[in-house]
């Protein structure tokens, strides 16, 4: 295990060199040590599934009616877009996908992918980083605090997302009853995912949905929250509430890498302001389907000797580009 960890660090370091000086050295290391990465990947997390969710996060940046189907990611994803919403106040957005990659037709699932920043309002949301009481998250502790901009964006988005999600769930239940009368569905798994700003709104919308689902006792459980390049968004009190109560039944996974300038350069500020991580943080490679051992230290993001500067590195996770683009 010690050897595997050492090799992982070597390759991760070379990936930073690749992002600045070219591809040759990076790929030679990936080919040489590919068998090591397969051993060091956390078994509980399917790298293929993580990459599919990265693809969903990428597609959420594209208009559902004009651009999404033109993306090369679309045909490979086996996701069927059902609905796309945008909150007019904060201009945060999300897309609901039917996950058609599940071989078990009796267990339908949905993926809610929240979009990252594409306009000035979104960037203003990111900069509104004051910790404020989480009074828009029902059931949260009175002394819990959350990033002001993210709370506003998530609560505004949820007003438009919740009805669309309900409609999709009703349609799935009706379809299942029609095609297989008498079939009982214990619950419909829903995965929330997103990149950057979308990572923050995905986590908070998952909390809002989980709280409502538990109160209404309906078959629509949050099964996973998986984010890419997501910022820290709350203090320790709220983080404990999210992991131990609101989302206690689901897996919360945050994919990060040390070349991401948004994470690397903002982490000292987040630490100073009292922001903490929520869930499990996994180190990955931006340009290949590589996830490092769970025991790899997250201090990679705060090593002052490494300077992350290329904004495109913030837009690449597991070989998938996430961000606005022309198609």
């Amino acid at each position: 295990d010690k050897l595997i960890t050492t090799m992982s660090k070597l390759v991760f370091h070379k990936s930073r060199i690749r992002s600045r000086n070219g591809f040759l050295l990076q790929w030679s290391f990936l080919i040489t040590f590919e068998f090591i990465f397969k051993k060091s990947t956390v078994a509980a997390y399917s790298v293929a599934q993580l990459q599919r969710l990265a693809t969903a996060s990428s597609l959420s940046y594209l208009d559902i009616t004009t651009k999404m189907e033109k993306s090369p990611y679309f045909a490979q994803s086996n996701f069927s877009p059902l609905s796309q919403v945008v909150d007019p106040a904060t201009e945060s957005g999300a897309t609901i996908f039917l996950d058609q990659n599940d071989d078990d037709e009796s267990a339908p699932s949905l993926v809610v992918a929240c979009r990252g920043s594409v306009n000035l309002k979104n960037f203003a949301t990111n900069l509104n980083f004051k910790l404020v009481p989480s009074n828009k998250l029902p059931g949260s502790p009175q002394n819990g605090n959350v990033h002001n901009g993210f709370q506003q964006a998530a609560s505004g988005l949820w007003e438009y997302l919740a009805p669309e999600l309900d409609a999709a769930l009703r349609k799935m239940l009706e379809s299942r009853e029609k095609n297989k009368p008498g079939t009982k569905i214990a619950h419909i798994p829903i995965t929330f995912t997103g990149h950057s700003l979308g990572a923050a709104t995905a986590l908070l919308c998952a909390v809002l949905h989980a709280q409502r689902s538990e109160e209404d006792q309906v078959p629509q459980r949050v099964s996973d929250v998986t984010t890419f390049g997501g910022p820290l968004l709350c203090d320790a009190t709220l983080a404990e509430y999210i992991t131990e109560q609101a989302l206690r039944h689901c897996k919360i996974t945050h994919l990060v890498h040390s070349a991401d300038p948004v994470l690397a350069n903002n982490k000292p500020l987040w630490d100073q302001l009292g922001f903490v991580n929520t869930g499990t943080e996994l180190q990955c490679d931006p340009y290949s389907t590589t996830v490092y051992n769970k025991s790899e230290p997250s201090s990679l993001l705060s090593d002052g000797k490494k300077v992350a500067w290329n904004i495109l590195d913030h837009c690449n996770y597991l070989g998938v580009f996430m961000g606005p683009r022309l198609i």
Side-chain angles (χ1 to χ4, degrees):
D1 290 341
K2 184 176 181 180
L3 176 61
I4 290 174
T5 301
T6 301
M7 291 298 187
S8 298
K9 287 183 178 179
L10 281 172
V11 179
F12 199 88
H13 178 67
K14 295 305 179 185
S15 74
R16 290 179 51 79
I17 295 177
R18 181 213 48 73
S19 67
R20 300 176 187 179
N21 299 325
F23 292 85
L24 182 59
L25 190 57
Q26 163 72 9
W27 286 109
S28 66
F29 269 80
L30 284 177
I31 293 171
T32 303
F33 296 118
E34 182 179 7
F35 71 97
I36 291 178
F37 289 131
K38 289 180 178 178
K39 292 181 180 179
S40 65
T41 299
V42 182
Y45 302 92
S46 163
V47 177
Q49 178 63 6
L50 291 175
Q51 189 183 43
R52 291 191 71 243
L53 293 175
T55 299
S57 296
S58 175
L59 292 173
S60 72
Y61 280 89
L62 304 177
D63 184 87
I64 197 172
T65 59
T66 61
K67 292 185 177 182
M68 189 177 293
E69 291 188 1
K70 298 178 182 179
S71 169
Y73 294 134
F74 182 78
Q76 305 169 6
S77 69
N78 286 325
F79 287 124
S80 177
L82 302 179
S83 179
Q84 190 172 67
V85 298
V86 175
D87 168 33
T90 65
E91 295 188 17
S92 53
T95 304
I96 302 173
F97 294 96
L98 175 65
D99 188 352
Q100 298 179 317
N101 201 50
D102 198 331
D103 295 331
D104 184 0
E105 295 183 355
S106 66
S109 61
L110 293 175
V111 173
V112 178
C114 295
R115 171 179 51 72
S117 301
V118 298
N119 54 51
L120 291 177
K121 277 192 176 181
N122 295 155
F123 291 113
T125 293
N126 298 330
L127 295 175
N128 187 7
F129 49 74
K130 181 180 179 181
L131 277 172
V132 298
S134 53
N135 50 26
K136 295 185 179 182
L137 299 176
S140 63
Q142 292 184 351
N143 58 338
N145 294 288
V146 64
H147 183 290
N148 192 25
F150 297 154
Q151 178 172 233
Q152 292 179 12
S155 61
L157 176 60
W158 185 243
E159 289 185 25
Y160 296 87
L161 179 59
E164 295 294 326
L165 188 55
D166 287 345
L169 289 162
R170 283 195 302 269
K171 186 176 180 179
M172 292 175 69
L173 290 170
E174 292 169 0
S175 176
R176 185 58 50 190
E177 180 61 28
K178 179 180 179 180
N179 296 330
K180 292 187 177 182
T183 300
K184 183 178 180 180
I185 302 177
H187 71 276
I188 297 175
I190 304 175
T191 296
F192 284 79
T193 189
H195 166 253
S196 194
L197 166 62
T201 54
L203 179 57
L204 295 178
C205 283
V207 171
L208 289 166
H209 176 75
Q211 183 66 27
R212 184 186 63 158
S213 177
E214 188 166 311
E215 290 176 353
D216 295 344
Q217 296 182 340
V218 292
Q220 41 178 298
R221 179 182 299 173
V222 179
S223 58
D224 297 276
V225 177
T226 301
T227 72
F228 304 88
L232 302 185
L233 56 78
C234 64
D235 65 6
T237 300
L238 187 60
E240 182 179 4
Y241 164 74
I242 291 173
T243 57
E244 301 299 326
Q245 295 186 52
L247 297 179
R248 63 188 181 278
H249 297 301
C250 87
K251 185 169 57 181
I252 306 173
T253 310
H254 306 294
L255 277 293
V256 301
H257 63 74
S258 64
D260 187 327
V262 174
L263 303 187
N265 296 321
N266 282 292
K267 191 174 187 304
L269 175 63
W270 294 333
D271 290 342
Q272 181 181 354
L273 294 176
F275 289 84
V276 301
N277 191 27
T278 305
T280 300
E281 185 179 273
L282 294 181
Q283 297 283 339
C284 71
D285 188 85
Y287 297 101
S288 71
T289 53
T290 302
V291 177
Y292 297 96
N293 194 298
K294 184 178 179 181
S295 62
E296 284 291 302
S298 59
S299 59
L300 286 168
L301 291 176
S302 57
D303 187 344
K305 297 179 181 179
K306 300 177 181 180
V307 179
W309 58 273
N310 189 349
I311 192 61
L312 290 179
D313 287 330
H314 177 60
C315 299
N316 284 278
Y317 275 79
L318 297 176
V320 177
F321 177 85
M322 307 177 200
R325 65 270 200 190
L326 298 175
I327 291 183

